C-alpha cells in the first residue's frame, strides 16, 4: 500500500492529440524518400525520440544514411511538424482533460509532465496549460527516451515524491513500459489489447475519475 502523491502525464495523445501531426510530418518525409509508413507502423513511433523515430523509419524503408543527412531530415520533419502545430490552441485540449485536472487539484495531488518531445513547452504554451504542471520534464532534460524510465523518475525527483507514490498516464506502448520500469502505477489511455502492460486501461481521461484511479492505485 502506498499513498499516491503525484500524477505524471504524457503529452502527446493524453493531453492533446499531436500524435497525428507527428505522423503526418513523418509520412511526408517517408514519401519524399520514396516509401510510405502506415498508421500501424506509427504506433511504434509514439513516445520515441525524434532521432530514434527517424532511425526506425529509415530502417523500415531499407535506407542507411550518413549522420549529417539524418540531422537534415530530422530538422525538416520538425519544421513541418511546427507548421502543423502552430495553429493549435486551447480548443485542441482532449475531451475530459479540464475536468480531470480540476479533480486532481481538489484531491491535493501534484502534477508533472513527462514528454520526450523537445517541443512540449511550446505546445503547453499554445494550449494554455503551462501552469497546470508543477514540474515539466521534456526532451531537452533527458538523455534517454521512453521506454527508459528517466522522463518519469526525473519528474518524481523534481516533485520530491517516491516513485511508488506516482501514477503515470500514457497512451504509448513505450510510455507504459517506461512507467512500469520506474516502479509506478500506470494508467493506459487507449486499447487494452495494445497497452497490455498497463495496470488500468481507459479509452481516454474523459472516461475516468481521479477517485477511480486512486481507488485502484492505493
Ligand atoms: C513524443 C511523441 C513522439 C515524438 C517525440 C519527440 O514522445 O510521442 O512521436 O517523436 O515526442 O518529439 P519532438 O517534438 O522532440 O520531435
Ligand atoms: Mg503519447
Amino acid at each position: 500500500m502506498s499513498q499516491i502523491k503525484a500524477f505524471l502525464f504524457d503529452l502527446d495523445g493524453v493531453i492533446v492529440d499531436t500524435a497525428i501531426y507527428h505522423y503526418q510530418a513523418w509520412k511526408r518525409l517517408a514519401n519524399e524518400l520514396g516509401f510510405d509508413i502506415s498508421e500501424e507502423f506509427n504506433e511504434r513511433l509514439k513516445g520515441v525520440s525524434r532521432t530514434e523515430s527517424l532511425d526506425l523509419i529509415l530502417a523500415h524503408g531499407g535506407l542507411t544514411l550518413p549522420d549529417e543527412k539524418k540531422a537534415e531530415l530530422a530538422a525538416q520533419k520538425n519544421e513541418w511538424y511546427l507548421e502543423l502545430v502552430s495553429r493549435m490552441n486551447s480548443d485542441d485540449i482532449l475531451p475530459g482533460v479540464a475536468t480531470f485536472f480540476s479533480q486532481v487539484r481538489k484531491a491535493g495531488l501534484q502534477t508533472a509532465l513527462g514528454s520526450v518531445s523537445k517541443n512540449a513547452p511550446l505546445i503547453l504554451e499554445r494550449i494554455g496549460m503551462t501552469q497546470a504542471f508543477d514540474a515539466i520534464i521534456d526532451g531537452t532534460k533527458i538523455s534517454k527516451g521512453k521506454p527508459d524510465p528517466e522522463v518519469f523518475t526525473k519528474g518524481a525527483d523534481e516533485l520530491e515524491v517516491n516513485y511508488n507514490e506516482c501514477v503515470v498516464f500514457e497512451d504509448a506502448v513505450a510510455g507504459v513500459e517506461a512507467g512500469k520500469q520506474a516502479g509506478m502505477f500506470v494508467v493506459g489511455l487507449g486499447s487494452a489489447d495494445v497497452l497490455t502492460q498497463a495496470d488500468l486501461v481507459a479509452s481516454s481521461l474523459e472516461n475516468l475519475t481521479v477517485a477511480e484511479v486512486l481507488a485502484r492505485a492505493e
Side-chain angles (χ1 to χ4, degrees):
M1 282 277 273
S2 71
Q3 178 75 42
I4 296 300
K5 295 199 176 129
F7 279 8
L8 315 185
F9 297 87
D10 170 48
L11 178 65
D12 298 323
V14 172
I15 305 291
V16 82
D17 194 8
T18 39
I20 181 75
Y21 300 130
H22 281 295
Y23 176 49
Q24 285 172 7
W26 282 131
K27 197 178 174 68
R28 184 170 170 187
L29 192 80
N31 290 170
E32 291 221 344
L33 293 168
F35 59 96
D36 198 18
I37 53 169
S38 66
E39 260 183 76
E40 195 193 350
F41 175 81
N42 187 55
E43 281 302 313
R44 281 197 257 158
L45 305 180
K46 288 186 178 175
V48 176
S49 74
R50 198 182 306 167
T51 33
E52 283 169 310
S53 298
L54 179 61
D55 284 341
L56 288 172
I57 289 165
L58 294 177
H60 187 67
L63 293 179
T64 315
L65 297 173
D67 285 352
E68 208 171 287
K69 180 71 185 165
K70 287 205 285 187
E72 214 176 274
L73 294 176
Q76 175 64 267
K77 179 266 175 179
N78 196 49
E79 204 175 291
W80 288 332
Y81 175 72
L82 288 175
E83 256 169 47
L84 291 166
V85 300
S86 68
R87 288 178 292 274
M88 288 180 85
N89 57 46
S90 59
D91 294 340
D92 292 291
I93 297 171
L94 287 170
V97 171
T99 309
F100 196 81
F101 267 71
S102 68
Q103 292 173 12
V104 170
R105 285 304 183 205
K106 275 194 199 123
L109 297 158
Q110 295 199 79
T111 55
L113 186 86
S115 172
V116 169
S117 174
K118 291 181 174 156
N119 294 305
L122 171 89
I123 307 280
L124 288 184
E125 278 301 320
R126 292 226 52 87
I127 63 171
M129 277 193 69
T130 307
Q131 306 307 325
F133 296 96
D134 300 310
I136 294 173
I137 310 298
D138 63 46
T140 64
K141 293 192 179 172
I142 52 165
S143 56
K144 283 165 270 165
K146 300 166 186 175
D148 189 279
E150 186 183 10
V151 68
F152 293 127
T153 54
K154 272 218 162 145
D157 292 347
E158 211 163 287
L159 296 175
E160 299 184 350
V161 296
N162 294 320
Y163 301 157
N164 65 357
E165 294 169 336
C166 298
V167 175
V168 165
F169 295 83
E170 256 297 345
D171 70 315
V173 174
V176 169
E177 198 183 327
K180 287 318 297 172
Q181 281 201 43
M184 298 172 179
F185 185 90
V186 179
V187 178
L189 299 171
S191 151
D193 296 337
V194 178
L195 307 173
T196 51
Q197 275 198 64
D199 298 297
L200 173 66
V201 178
S203 51
S204 77
L205 287 180
E206 200 177 17
N207 302 298
L208 210 58
T209 65
V210 168
E212 265 171 61
V213 174
L214 292 178
R216 288 288 297 273
E218 288 182 346

